[in-house]
Every structure is written in structure tokens, then in C-alpha cells.
Amino acid sequence: MASVNKVIIVGNLGRDPEIRYMPSGDAIANIAVATSYKSKDKNTGEQRETTEWHRISFFGRLAEIVGQYLKKGSSVYVEGRLQTRKYTDKDGVEKYATDIVAENMQMLGGRQGMGGGDSMDDGGGYEAPQRQAPQRQAPPAPAARPAPKPAPNFSDMDDDIPF
């Protein structure tokens, strides 16, 4: 039987990314992203907003990009998978935590959300490698039209031809 472990999150960072490096030099970045859900209270009819926090981990080049361009408040789209880990807390109690391991990330909003400042032309920001678009060629020029045939000269016709 096939299975799917896929998570998509669109939200805002609650704090600046935490960056660490493995002994091999590979980067690891951790962020906390908030998502909100609005609903109406059945008893009072008031609009309520519930915020959920998600722990997300990035590895390698994606972690470096997160550390360089994201900051608290940045809007982000993340695709990944759920992963549960077991750990022992400081009191010796075994606990479990479920995190999102990111596989894809897209920064949303303007450059001010990417840690590049408020100016649009400050040169900061990350541009993902873009796929090479196929070269568009101009459509071929239409073939030369033949010269129009001269209009018939009805004055040369005999008047006795019935129409």
C-alpha cells in the first residue's frame, strides 16, 4: 500500500532562524512558523483566531539560504515531511517531538520580509535558480503577396451581355 508524508505550511516566522553547523560543515537551520485559523464561536457568535506553531528544520544549502534571508516576521511557504524524534529532557524523562523536515521553501512578500532592508534596490535577497525559458522566435514574416489583379474594366464589355 502506498503512503504519503507531505506537509505544506504558509505562515510567518515567530523568531529569527537558528543556524548550526555539523562537523562536516553542513548547515542546519531551525525556524518556528505560525499559522492561523479563524472560526466562529458557536455560543457567542464571536470570531476567534487560533494560532498554531510549527517547528521546521532545513539542511544543507536550503539552511544557509534560510539563515541569510529570513528573519522574524518573514512570510514563507514550506513543503516538507513530518518526522518524529525521541529525546530525553533535562529531568531524564523521554519525550517525543514531531517536526517538519523542509524539502522546498519559497520566500513570500517583498524584500523587506527577506532581511534585505526596506529598499527595493538594495541588492539583497535570494533569487532561486530559474529554469531556462525556451527561446521564443519571432513568427516568420508572411510571404509576399502577389500583386492584385487589375479590376475588370466594365466599360470595355458589350452592352448586350445579360446579367
Side-chain angles (χ1 to χ4, degrees):
M1 181 164 123
S3 64
V4 176
N5 182 355
K6 178 110 176 162
V7 177
I8 296 175
I9 298 290
V10 177
N12 297 314
L13 272 70
R15 62 178 184 261
D16 289 339
E18 298 171 5
I19 308 299
R20 299 186 322 267
Y21 291 91
M22 304 279 284
S24 64
D26 290 338
I28 300 173
N30 293 305
I31 63 173
V33 174
T35 57
S36 297
Y37 173 74
K38 292 183 182 181
S39 62
K40 189 180 281 190
D41 187 294
K42 292 180 183 178
N43 298 327
T44 64
E46 291 181 22
Q47 195 77 356
R48 294 186 353 196
E49 184 173 5
T50 306
T51 300
E52 186 74 30
W53 288 94
H54 311 275
R55 289 186 305 257
I56 304 175
S57 300
F58 298 84
F59 297 93
R61 179 68 180 129
L62 200 52
E64 293 172 5
I65 292 167
V66 165
Q68 187 173 2
Y69 296 110
L70 294 182
K71 64 178 182 177
K72 180 179 179 178
S74 297
S75 293
V76 67
Y77 167 93
V78 178
E79 287 182 21
R81 59 186 167 82
L82 290 177
Q83 181 172 310
T84 302
R85 58 187 168 87
K86 181 178 171 182
Y87 67 97
T88 305
D89 71 4
K90 62 183 177 184
D91 297 328
V93 178
E94 286 187 353
K95 294 188 175 185
Y96 293 88
T98 301
D99 299 330
I100 298 169
V101 176
E103 296 169 351
N104 189 10
M105 183 272 302
Q106 178 70 46
M107 295 173 275
L108 304 174
R111 286 187 185 227
Q112 66 274 12
M114 291 192 266
D118 290 335
S119 172
M120 288 300 284
D121 60 350
D122 63 355
Y126 167 75
E127 290 185 24
Q130 297 179 359
R131 288 182 261 168
Q132 193 71 2
Q135 296 294 326
R136 288 190 173 194
Q137 296 179 355
R145 293 184 181 170
K149 295 180 182 178
N153 186 351
F154 293 108
S155 62
D156 293 343
M157 298 182 125
D158 294 331
D159 289 334
D160 59 338
I161 301 176
F163 287 113

